[in-house]
Amino acid sequence: MLLERLPPTPVITPTPPTPPEMNPAPRFDVSAAPHTKIPRPALPDTYDGDRAGGEHFLQSCVTYIQLSSEAFASDALKISWVLSYMKLGRASTYALRVF
């Protein structure tokens, strides 16, 4: 009969669906990151000899010298650098006498 003439029906066994491929997030390779320079501290403002701003000026100089210690090989260099910011008023008079 007709059913006998048809080819046998293949047996399909259902397979469970495959989960979507999970690609792990790319890892950041720290060794490949470019080295960044350490930011430089702010330079002190020019000092004019005003006593009210003296403490601020001194602290700015000390902070800069401490954070940039590799640039100051001697005490004489530190003193000369500080005197170079004493450009106005009574401070310039003092710096010119000392420098």
Side-chain angles (χ1 to χ4, degrees):
M1 313 219 264
L2 187 60
L3 286 176
E4 292 172 351
R5 289 186 181 175
L6 291 173
T9 309
V11 177
I12 300 175
T13 56
T15 57
T18 58
E21 266 191 52
M22 300 288 289
N23 291 335
R27 300 186 85 166
F28 182 69
D29 185 8
V30 177
S31 64
H35 295 284
T36 57
K37 292 183 179 180
I38 297 172
R40 303 290 277 168
L43 292 170
D45 293 332
T46 300
Y47 182 57
D48 62 0
D50 179 30
R51 290 182 185 191
E55 191 68 32
H56 175 73
F57 173 73
L58 179 61
Q59 188 58 47
S60 294
C61 292
V62 169
T63 300
Y64 188 91
I65 290 170
Q66 286 178 342
L67 294 175
S68 304
S69 59
E70 72 282 349
F72 298 97
S74 67
D75 287 342
L77 184 60
K78 293 174 189 175
I79 293 167
S80 297
W81 182 80
V82 171
L83 289 173
S84 74
Y85 283 91
M86 300 171 74
K87 300 177 184 178
L88 303 171
R90 292 186 311 181
S92 69
T93 305
Y94 175 80
L96 288 173
R97 277 192 279 150
V98 175
F99 203 47

